Amino acid sequence: MTVATAATAAASRTSAASAPAAATRPPGGPPVRVPCRFLGWGAAVPGGRLTNADLEARLDTSDAWITERTGIRERRTSGSGETTASLATAAGRAALERAGVAPSEVDLVLLATTTADTPCPSTAAHVQHALGTRGPAVDVNAACAGFVYGLHLAAAAIHAGGLSRVLVIGGERITAITDPDDRATAILFGDGAGALLLEVAQPAAGEAGPGLLAVDLGGDGSAIPHLGIPAGDRYLRMDGQEVFRRATRAMATSCEAVLDGAGVSAEDVALFVPHQANRRIIDATAARLGFPADRVAVNIDRYGNTSAASVPMALAEALDAGRLSSGDLVLLSAVGAGLSWGSTLLRWGA
Ligand code: UT7
């Protein structure tokens, strides 16, 4: 794949990431390797609300502990009839409506999810059917990093030719795999979905148009024992401290690789949209990269960790608030189980 990629020291990498770093840094600024427009965005959350007070009432925890250690005050939880597919469909539909694009004009649905409603068929197939898009639809599972992986795959599909519009959705019903009695995880996770519609574009002559400027994807399977669903269990188990340590390092290193690969610094980037896993991880990464608070998207207080939905939900919220204009650079980054991580730099534009 020819997306500009940046090199990080990762235990395993995509083939794209092994492209020579020098090729990503020609003189004169970052190359737009995958020109594409971002036509529409959307988000959806379920009706249920789980506050720290609710958790305090039934677990050995406190509002003060949760707020101080995570930044979370409440999360949204799915009830009867609310599924990963229904949340993803609602977010996808909102993105199409905002773009003014008919479902029949979408060539591919990529659904990033850790919580497929059923093992077979894909949850994306249900979303495709509910939206009425053209045939192709596929799930992508890279845990919390899934949406960034999905964007990369969408850009690659557009770049390869034949597909004009790709709807990328991050959707999770992560509370379905969260043990309500395990205070190590029950305080963290919430449900939701976010979506972004990409369309192929020709680069404008002589100027930088919208698109993906750089991508860094990485993985380190040595972390598998620290976060995941053990065989025979139905719930996520996590060694929080170890994941915290690794996630903080991976996110910062990956973001630096992308900024380096595109030849820009944090000062050039209008908005940093990190995965919303823990407010302390967000703050530490933003500080290390040099992002002031007003250029970081944060909504963890209201939604908790929504896994693959977290980056597109935070991006959609920032867009709704008018925090991005055409031509702005946006840095997205996420780390999740695997570990798997991904970061990408976009030049925004419709
Ligand atoms: O999205 C995928 C990636 N996931 C992440 O990035 C999550 C990363 N990890 C974290 O966010 C944090 O590690 C947690 C929020 C899960 C835990 O925070 P921590 O600061 O790492 O706490 P800890 O596990 O070191 O525990 C500190 C203390 C312990 O008590 P003692 O031994 O000091 O007496 C724990 O037993 O806090 C206790 N504790 C709690 N107390 C109240 C642990 N969980 C809780 C809780 N409520 N829910």
Side-chain angles (χ1 to χ4, degrees):
M1 288 185 275
T2 55
V3 173
T5 54
T8 53
S12 66
R13 316 187 51 82
T14 64
S15 59
S18 60
T24 68
R25 292 177 220 165
V32 178
R33 293 299 176 93
V34 182
C36 58
R37 289 188 285 268
F38 306 100
L39 295 185
W41 63 88
V45 289
R49 191 177 248 115
L50 182 68
T51 66
N52 289 354
D54 297 330
L55 289 164
E56 210 171 38
R58 63 174 175 77
L59 288 174
D60 180 16
T61 190
S62 67
D63 174 44
W65 192 95
I66 299 170
T67 307
E68 186 187 319
R69 309 296 276 197
T70 71
I72 302 168
R73 295 186 183 277
E74 63 178 48
R75 323 98 190 107
R76 304 302 288 261
T77 58
S78 315
S80 161
E82 290 174 318
T83 61
T84 296
S86 72
L87 293 167
T89 299
R93 186 171 286 127
L96 295 182
E97 285 174 1
R98 180 173 294 276
V101 167
S104 59
E105 297 175 283
V106 173
D107 300 316
L108 173 66
V109 174
L110 280 170
L111 173 61
T113 188
T114 323
T115 47
D117 292 323
T118 57
C120 184
S122 71
T123 303
H126 292 277
V127 175
Q128 179 274 317
H129 185 59
L131 287 175
T133 61
R134 284 179 199 165
V138 64
D139 287 358
V140 176
N141 185 347
C144 303
F147 182 79
V148 179
Y149 277 66
L151 274 186
H152 183 58
L153 295 172
I158 284 173
H159 184 76
L163 301 181
S164 295
R165 275 167 230 94
V166 181
L167 182 61
V168 186
I169 308 173
E172 299 278 18
R173 196 170 156 249
I174 201 88
T175 57
I177 56 166
T178 304
D179 183 349
D181 298 322
D182 178 8
R183 72 174 184 175
T185 52
I187 60 159
L188 296 175
F189 294 107
D191 302 332
L196 191 59
L197 180 65
L198 277 63
E199 182 183 64
V200 66
Q202 295 301 318
E207 58 183 74
L212 267 79
L213 305 189
V215 175
D216 176 71
L217 304 179
D220 178 2
S222 74
I224 289 171
H226 304 301
L227 176 57
I229 305 179
D233 201 335
R234 62 181 279 208
Y235 292 129
L236 269 178
R237 303 296 171 196
M238 181 172 72
D239 173 355
Q241 271 189 10
E242 182 63 18
V243 174
F244 186 99
R245 197 176 60 77
R246 290 180 181 234
T248 306
R249 190 177 54 208
M251 187 182 279
T253 308
S254 181
C255 288
E256 284 168 353
V258 161
L259 295 174
D260 284 355
V264 303
S265 71
E267 282 166 26
D268 305 312
V269 177
L271 192 67
F272 175 40
V273 185
H275 172 45
Q276 312 283 306
N278 186 310
R279 180 71 200 241
R280 290 184 290 140
I281 297 177
I282 295 171
D283 290 348
T285 309
R288 172 162 156 183
L289 297 173
F291 284 103
D294 66 347
R295 283 196 282 123
V296 183
V298 178
N299 64 8
I300 190 171
D301 52 324
R302 283 163 287 132
Y303 302 115
N305 180 347
T306 56
S307 187
S310 111
V311 166
M313 282 174 64
L315 178 63
E317 188 172 281
L319 286 159
D320 284 340
R323 295 178 73 182
L324 282 176
S325 305
S326 198
D328 280 350
L329 297 182
V330 194
L331 175 64
L332 313 181
S333 185
V335 183
L339 286 188
S340 55
W341 62 86
S343 305
T344 187
L345 187 72
L346 313 179
R347 187 184 304 282
W348 190 255

